[in-house]
Amino acid sequence: MATLLDIVVEVLQADEEQGKESLEALIELTNLFGEIWNACGEKLIFVCSEVMKNKNFEDGTRESALEIVGSVAEAHPKLLKENTDSMKTQFFPSLCVMMTKLENEDSLEEWYAVEEEDVFLSNDIASHCAESLERLVSKIGEQMTIACMTQLINEMVKDAAWQTRHAGFMCLGMIAEVCEKSFKSNLANVMQLHSPGLQDEHPR
């Protein structure tokens, strides 16, 4: 499988469309046989993370790389837990990079004009990532989620770029249900982290 990952990387570099098809094939394979990555889980996380954060790739290609890790979470979450360090330093930061690509980024007027029901039906890359994050953390559990995301979210909500702050607060919301026990026991800290967003200079 490690050799197969090398081949997929080569294909992506040579022809992105074929590379995307290769990633989609890996999704199907992972859904059926999640344990095939046992010997190279760290490499899988690294390769997927590199594709995810590469803004030169099309959204669909980056989303396919994300979906591979999501499929591992569904089929074989133990593998991700065994590679917590890689998930913390590579995967989740890459996921958050994807969440900074927002629709109507340059126009508040266009954003204001979007109907509320259309927001919930949105299929842009940031919305897709938020949904994937919520699904993934439900599989890896509260302890690993807290270990991987606490520092990252703290840094994001204080970032100079409003898109990054926006993504940080979105992450906080997406993990809230899974992390309910921890959030309740540290409610003052959670509120202190969350509240500045209500006073942020940017409406979003």
Side-chain angles (χ1 to χ4, degrees), residues 8-115:
V8 170
V9 171
E10 290 178 11
V11 174
L12 274 167
Q13 291 171 340
D15 185 323
E16 183 179 346
E17 186 58 36
Q18 287 190 354
K20 180 174 178 287
E21 292 177 6
S22 300
L23 293 172
E24 290 170 349
L26 292 185
I27 295 170
E28 294 183 29
L29 193 60
T30 303
N31 286 332
L32 293 171
F33 309 105
E35 69 278 2
I36 59 174
W37 301 109
N38 279 347
C40 58
E42 185 175 0
K43 183 169 186 174
L44 175 69
I45 293 167
F46 172 75
V47 169
C48 289
S49 299
E50 289 295 300
V51 174
M52 287 164 57
K53 71 181 182 183
N54 189 333
K55 297 179 181 180
N56 292 321
F57 285 134
E58 296 290 334
D59 289 354
T61 303
R62 300 167 72 190
E63 289 173 1
S64 293
L66 167 60
E67 186 60 30
I68 293 174
V69 180
S71 296
V72 173
E74 297 276 355
H76 196 37
K78 182 183 177 183
L79 178 62
L80 301 184
K81 292 180 180 180
E82 291 171 348
N83 290 278
T84 296
D85 287 345
S86 295
M87 292 292 288
K88 178 179 180 179
T89 60
Q90 297 170 17
F91 175 79
F92 283 112
S94 295
L95 175 62
C96 291
V97 168
M98 292 176 70
M99 290 179 68
T100 62
K101 185 177 180 181
L102 302 168
E103 285 191 328
N104 303 317
E105 183 179 59
D106 300 320
S107 174
L108 281 176
E109 289 74 18
E110 291 181 15
W111 174 66
Y112 282 133
V114 176
E115 298 291 337

Side-chain angles (χ1 to χ4, degrees), residues 127-139:
S127 300
H128 179 82
C129 288
E131 293 172 5
S132 296
L133 173 60
E134 187 174 34
R135 179 174 53 125
L136 189 146
V137 298
S138 71
K139 297 300 180 182

Side-chain angles (χ1 to χ4, degrees), residues 161-199:
W162 72 263
Q163 294 92 336
T164 303
R165 298 197 302 277
H166 178 281
F169 288 117
M170 286 295 295
C171 288
L172 193 59
M174 291 300 102
I175 70 172
E177 185 174 354
V178 167
C179 300
E180 179 182 6
K181 183 178 178 181
S182 177
F183 278 19
K184 280 185 175 180
S185 62
N186 297 281
L187 191 57
N189 290 335
V190 174
M191 292 305 296
Q192 191 173 24
L193 181 66
H194 159 266
S195 297
L198 301 175
Q199 299 175 309

Side-chain angles (χ1 to χ4, degrees), residues 136-149:
L136 189 146
V137 298
S138 71
K139 297 300 180 182
I140 64 175
E142 179 175 19
Q143 185 176 351
M144 181 175 173
T145 300
I146 291 293
C148 288
M149 298 210 67

Side-chain angles (χ1 to χ4, degrees), residues 153-164:
I153 290 175
N154 268 282
E155 293 172 354
M156 291 176 69
V157 299
K158 298 171 185 174
D159 196 87
W162 72 263
Q163 294 92 336
T164 303

